[in-house]
Each structure stands twice: as C-alpha cells, then as structure tokens.
Amino acid sequence: MNLLRHRSVLLATAGTALALSLTACQSGDHTDSAPAATTSATGKPADGGQAGTSGATGSTGPAQSTASKGSSDDTAGNGSAGSSGEQASATTRVCAARDVHVTAATQGGPPYTHIVLTAKNTSGRSCRLAGAPHIQFLESHKQDVPAVAKSKPAAPVVLTAGAPAYAVVKVSDGGVDEDNEPVSAFSVVLEGDSTVIAVSAPGSGGIAVDPAKALTGYWTPELRNGADDF
C-alpha cells in the first residue's frame, strides 16, 4: 500500500515537472516567433506591410515635394525678375551700320546750335544701340566729337524693329565771331562697328560747325527737350 502511494507521488511530481517544462517551451517559442512575424509584414509590400510603407511615404513624400517645388519657384522667380531684364539687354546683339538708317535734323530756331541724329532700326529684329555716336564733321578734324557723360541713359538702348533712338549734337555756340565752317555732310560710326555712315546735314546750305565747341549726347530712346543743357 505504501509502495503504491509512493509511486503515485512520484508520478504526480514528474507530471508537474513535465507540464512546467512544456509551458516554458511554449512561452519561449512565442517570444522568438514574434519578431519573425513583424519582419515578414514589413518586408513584403504585397502583404499588410504595404500600408505601413505607404504611411511612411505619405508623411515624408508631400513634404519633400512641397520643399522641392518651393525651392524651384524661388529660383525661377529670383532668376527671372532681376537677372531677366539685364540678360535681355546684355544678350541682345549690338546694332551695326547695316541695321539702322541715320538722319539729321535741326533742333530749335536760328541760330541753329544743335542738331538731332535719329537712328531707326530697319533690320527687322531687335538690336542694342550702345554708347554715343562717333562723329567727325570735317576732314581737317579727325578726332571724334566729345560725348557728354551726363546724357548717358541709365539702361542700354534696345531698339525693336522699326524703333528710333536719338542723339542731340551741339555744333556751335551760335556766335558770329566763332570759327564756324560750313558742313553739308559728315560721318557717323556706331559703337562696336567700324563702318562709316555718311549723313547729310540738314538744310539746303548745310550747317555751320565750330569744331572746338561741338559736343554729342548719347543715344537715348526719347528725344531730349533741353538741347541747351550742353
């Protein structure tokens, strides 16, 4: 009887130990398998992991897109606002003698101390009329007529097709005691081109020029009103 009881106790103890061992194994297996399941879900876009990936992309994608777009817009704005006008003037080709038709007319009444040169763009495309006209009135005076710095425009003069530019030229002081010489035609050379343009002087008798007093203004898009400024 005692032997049977002792064997029952041993069996019960062994059963308890076995149950505890199985429980511990099952608990360990569950812990080890959890990361595998998580990795699988994240690593396979076709499974539920795709939603997680989309969520991450959704949080960063629009932000990156907006930042990129804003940067692009800022660059375009800065590039086109201030540097666009400067580039249009700087890259426009300089007017050559073949691009313009230059004429002369008197300005004001007697004594005729000033004339106006008009350069009209006849090329059919835009060009830039740079600087001041290089004028020589007489064969005996080979130096160019001096240009008046204060008449220089703030921006380059860009002539569209058919557009004119003007330069006011002083030919004398209008005094009777001056060393004036009659001029029926004179030469004009444009900045950036060595071609000589022959211009007829206005009036049937030409103009009276004092080489010592002659001055020229820069090319401007509008006719100056104050010819007596120089």
Side-chain angles (χ1 to χ4, degrees):
M1 187 68 178
N2 290 335
L3 181 59
L4 292 173
R5 184 179 299 171
H6 181 67
R7 290 178 65 183
S8 299
V9 171
L10 288 176
L11 289 173
T13 302
T16 302
L18 180 59
L20 291 173
S21 177
L22 290 173
T23 301
C25 288
Q26 290 176 355
S27 175
D29 290 344
H30 180 71
T31 303
D32 292 342
S33 63
T38 303
T39 302
S40 175
T42 307
K44 292 183 179 181
D47 297 334
Q50 183 177 359
T53 306
S54 298
T57 304
S59 62
T60 58
Q64 292 173 348
S65 177
T66 302
S68 175
K69 182 178 179 182
S71 175
S72 176
D73 289 346
D74 291 344
T75 303
N78 293 337
S80 61
S83 72
S84 165
E86 292 178 6
Q87 288 177 357
S89 313
T91 58
T92 303
R93 65 187 183 84
V94 176
C95 296
R98 65 179 180 274
D99 297 322
V100 298
H101 178 59
V102 180
T103 57
T106 55
Q107 182 176 38
Y112 295 104
T113 59
H114 292 76
I115 63 172
V116 177
L117 296 184
T118 300
K120 185 177 181 180
N121 182 1
T122 57
S123 68
R125 53 181 179 169
S126 296
C127 65
R128 178 165 48 94
L129 199 56
H134 298 271
I135 304 171
Q136 290 185 8
F137 283 115
L138 300 164
E139 288 292 330
S140 58
H141 293 79
K142 291 297 185 182
Q143 67 272 23
D144 292 344
V145 172
V148 179
K150 66 180 181 180
S151 67
K152 185 177 182 179
V157 179
V158 177
L159 298 181
T160 57
Y166 307 95
V168 174
V169 183
K170 178 181 178 182
V171 294
S172 69
D173 281 341
V176 294
D177 295 330
E178 287 186 85
D179 293 329
N180 295 333
E181 296 188 41
V183 172
S184 59
F186 55 95
S187 65
V188 173
V189 174
L190 303 180
E191 188 79 25
D193 187 4
S194 60
T195 304
V196 176
I197 303 172
V199 180
S200 297
S204 57
I207 54 177
V209 176
D210 182 352
K213 303 295 179 64
L215 295 170
T216 181
Y218 280 72
W219 294 112
T220 57
E222 296 179 353
L223 181 61
R224 286 167 50 91
N225 291 325
D228 56 351
D229 286 352
F230 60 86

